[in-house]
Amino acid sequence: IDRASGRRSTMNIDLAVIRIGVEPNTEFLRDKLELDSRGFVSVDKNWRTSKPHIYAVGDVTSRDAPTIAGAVGSGATAAKVISSCLSAKRCL
């Protein structure tokens, strides 16, 4: 809900992981993606997970510095990587 206008909007998404507290909420991913010993999703420098076409960003990947700024930065990087691979039609 936009607080200024009161308008509602929606987004079509496949999955949202919500983190409250200091431990990642990733137990449901244990048999699906590679996690580290504390449960954080393992990613490469472009935020790709151990499974093709699946990216993870934000606190769920950041065991040392879980911040909003870090989440925004990792999300922007992943979006750029995904956009580039889609436009080049060479997504791995």
Side-chain angles (χ1 to χ4, degrees), residues 14-91:
D14 293 322
L15 175 71
V17 177
I18 300 180
R19 179 172 181 244
I20 299 172
V22 295
E23 296 299 321
N25 182 17
T26 57
E27 188 59 36
F28 70 100
L29 297 172
R30 185 145 312 274
D31 296 328
K32 295 169 183 61
L33 298 175
E34 182 181 322
L35 305 178
D36 71 11
S37 62
R38 290 184 46 209
F40 290 91
V41 178
S42 298
V43 292
D44 68 10
K45 68 179 184 169
N46 291 316
W47 306 98
R48 290 184 290 239
T49 68
S50 57
K51 299 288 183 184
H53 311 294
I54 299 179
Y55 293 72
V57 298
D59 293 359
V60 74
T61 66
S62 181
R63 63 188 299 164
D64 298 322
T67 63
I68 292 171
V72 170
S74 61
T77 300
K80 184 175 180 180
V81 169
I82 292 165
S83 176
S84 293
C85 88
L86 288 173
S87 64
K89 296 183 177 154
R90 59 173 176 76
C91 296

